[in-house]
């Protein structure tokens, strides 16, 4: 079954120069990258992305982590992988949420760690199921940023929307 998966290379992955390594590992899946960009993560985006964890004690720290405040790297790399069973394939390569429990050959098992505060610093985000993938992809990307039509979209005319243009 063809499906889309949101992948984020988190600020710790960027700080540890793991981008190339992670993309190489993910290329083993033979999935197609249909969107990619660097994102400066706002508090709103972070809070919405992790809304299922709002009640957890580690939530405030998680929001700071994904915004890059702990790594002095205020950015993440966001990609969409598309193809057969992409969620399962990418989650397998990423490994378990807890880096100590993750297969040692997985991305999280190889490069993740647990902070003294208890927060899992686990290098990558991978969507957990198809409905979460759709929710997350619509949060992180505009339709025009994705080179295939993943979900229905519409043309709207926005009046007086300010955009940054080349000078
Ligand atoms: P996943 O990223 O594997 O989908 P999740 O959505 O449950 O896992 O949690 C999002 C992130 O929050 C996870 O990558 C690391 C952090 N996290 C989750 N559970 C945690 C816990 N029990 N202790 C510390 N950090 C945790
Ligand atoms: Mg998750």
């Amino acid at each position: 079954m063809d499906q889309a998966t949101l992948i984020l290379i988190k600020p710790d992955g960027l700080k540890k120069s793991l981008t190339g390594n992670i993309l190489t590992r993910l290329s083993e899946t033979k999935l197609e990258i249909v969107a990619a960009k660097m994102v400066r993560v706002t508090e709103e985006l972070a809070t919405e992305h992790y809304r299922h964890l709002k009640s957890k004690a580690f939530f405030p720290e998680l929001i700071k982590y994904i915004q890059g405040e702990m790594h002095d790297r205020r950015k993440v790399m966001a990609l969409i992988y598309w193809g057969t069973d992409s969620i399962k394939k990418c989650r397998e390569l990423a490994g378990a949420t807890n880096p100590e429990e993750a297969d040692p050959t997985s991305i999280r098992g190889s490069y993740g760690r647990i902070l003294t505060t208890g927060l899992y610093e686990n290098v990558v985000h991978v969507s957990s199921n198809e409905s979460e993938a759709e929710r997350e992809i619509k949060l992180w990307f505009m339709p025009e940023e994705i080179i295939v039509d993943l979900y229905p979209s519409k043309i709207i005319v926005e009046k007086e929307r300010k955009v940054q243009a080349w000078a």
Side-chain angles (χ1 to χ4, degrees):
M1 182 184 34
D2 283 337
Q3 52 183 202
T5 308
L6 178 77
I7 302 277
L8 302 176
I9 302 181
K10 298 182 183 181
D12 52 323
L14 296 175
K15 185 158 187 170
K16 291 172 181 167
S17 291
L18 293 171
T19 307
N21 186 304
I22 291 165
L23 297 182
T24 301
R25 301 283 281 272
L26 289 169
S27 71
E28 290 166 21
T29 61
K30 304 279 193 286
L31 296 165
E32 190 184 346
I33 298 173
V34 295
K37 63 177 176 180
M38 300 305 299
V39 183
R40 205 168 282 279
V41 183
T42 62
E43 194 178 339
E44 292 69 36
L45 175 58
T47 304
E48 196 52 32
H49 177 75
Y50 281 130
R51 68 175 186 188
H52 61 295
L53 297 168
K54 237 173 180 166
S55 63
K56 303 284 183 191
F58 59 81
F59 185 75
E61 204 187 353
L62 180 64
I63 297 307
K64 281 196 188 139
Y65 164 39
I66 198 68
Q67 287 191 268
E69 288 187 24
M70 284 129 100
H71 297 90
D72 203 21
R73 289 283 187 292
R74 278 161 225 286
K75 59 195 170 184
V76 305
M77 186 170 193
L79 305 106
I80 302 172
Y81 279 77
W82 188 84
T84 310
D85 294 331
S86 64
I87 295 174
K88 185 169 169 280
K89 287 176 181 165
C90 293
R91 281 193 77 92
E92 259 173 36
L93 278 176
T97 307
N98 179 342
E100 294 285 325
E101 286 170 6
D103 182 310
T105 65
S106 67
I107 296 167
R108 288 167 165 180
S110 303
Y111 306 114
R113 63 172 185 159
I114 303 180
L115 302 187
T116 49
T117 56
L119 186 75
Y120 303 157
E121 201 181 84
N122 58 10
V123 188
V124 286
H125 167 82
V126 183
S127 307
S128 54
N129 58 55
E130 253 182 81
S131 65
E132 269 297 279
E134 178 172 351
R135 186 186 78 82
E136 292 171 357
I137 286 167
K138 288 177 174 174
L139 196 59
W140 287 82
F141 287 91
M142 298 296 288
E144 65 192 15
E145 295 177 308
I146 308 171
I147 60 159
V148 291
D149 292 328
L150 291 180
Y151 312 112
S153 62
K154 60 185 179 184
I155 303 287
I156 57 168
V157 180
E158 282 191 354
K159 276 196 193 136
E160 295 187 25
R161 184 168 72 102
K162 273 192 196 166
V163 294
Q164 189 121 31
W166 300 119

